[in-house]
Amino acid sequence: MDDSLPELGDLERDVMQLVWAHAPITAESVREKLARRLKESTVRTVLRRLEDKGYVRHIVDGRTYVYHAAQPRGRVAAKAVQRIVDWFCNGSIEEVLVGMVDTAMLDQRQLRMLADKVAKAKSKGVKK
């Protein structure tokens, strides 16, 4: 997956949430699960755009395209957060995390879990 995935519109985000939650999924199933009523051709167009952008892939089952995410939701979210960090904080993830702690976005349990993950990453020598 490209590190610079294009941003998603509202409908594209809604469709991606369904792909992540229900894959493998067809355009018809996406259409049925969407909160707003759209034509199947519109949903197919959105899925094709998502594929062009690198968010989904498909296989063909008979004459039906079956879609799945190109990357897990967490990885895509992390890349989106990285763009925000780069844009607002000049790449300082520490500044973002301190801001999240200062505004009580993270509770004690989440902070401990994050600290444990950081410690494990350090012990394994994980690099950027």
Side-chain angles (χ1 to χ4, degrees):
M1 178 171 77
D2 185 357
D3 282 346
S4 60
L5 281 173
E7 303 238 354
L8 297 177
D10 292 340
L11 179 56
E12 290 172 326
R13 278 193 303 275
D14 292 346
V15 170
M16 278 310 302
Q17 292 298 337
L18 292 171
V19 171
W20 279 313
H22 302 285
I25 191 166
T26 65
E28 176 61 19
S29 292
V30 169
R31 188 190 66 74
E32 289 171 356
K33 293 177 186 319
L34 279 170
R36 51 182 138 166
R37 292 290 139 223
L38 299 172
K39 293 181 182 177
E40 187 177 352
S41 61
T42 303
V43 174
R44 283 194 311 265
T45 298
V46 171
L47 286 162
R48 187 173 46 253
R49 282 195 328 241
L50 287 168
E51 192 163 21
D52 291 344
K53 290 180 175 185
Y55 286 94
V56 299
R57 294 188 181 127
H58 77 273
I59 59 169
V60 180
D61 183 10
R63 296 181 58 196
T64 304
Y65 280 32
V66 181
Y67 295 89
H68 62 278
Q71 292 292 327
R73 180 188 341 233
R75 188 164 188 182
V76 173
K79 289 185 183 300
V81 169
Q82 183 64 56
R83 281 193 296 258
I84 292 168
V85 169
D86 291 344
W87 190 25
F88 286 108
C89 300
N90 294 322
S92 173
I93 192 73
E94 294 85 3
E95 190 174 338
V96 172
L97 290 173
V98 167
M100 291 175 78
V101 170
D102 288 348
T103 59
M105 288 178 68
L106 299 172
D107 62 25
Q108 289 298 318
R109 182 189 60 78
Q110 292 168 317
L111 286 171
R112 276 193 301 278
M113 188 174 73
L114 182 59
D116 290 346
K117 287 186 180 268
V118 168
K120 284 179 187 174
K122 277 185 174 179
S123 71
K124 290 180 181 178
V126 173
K127 296 180 183 177
K128 220 177 176 184

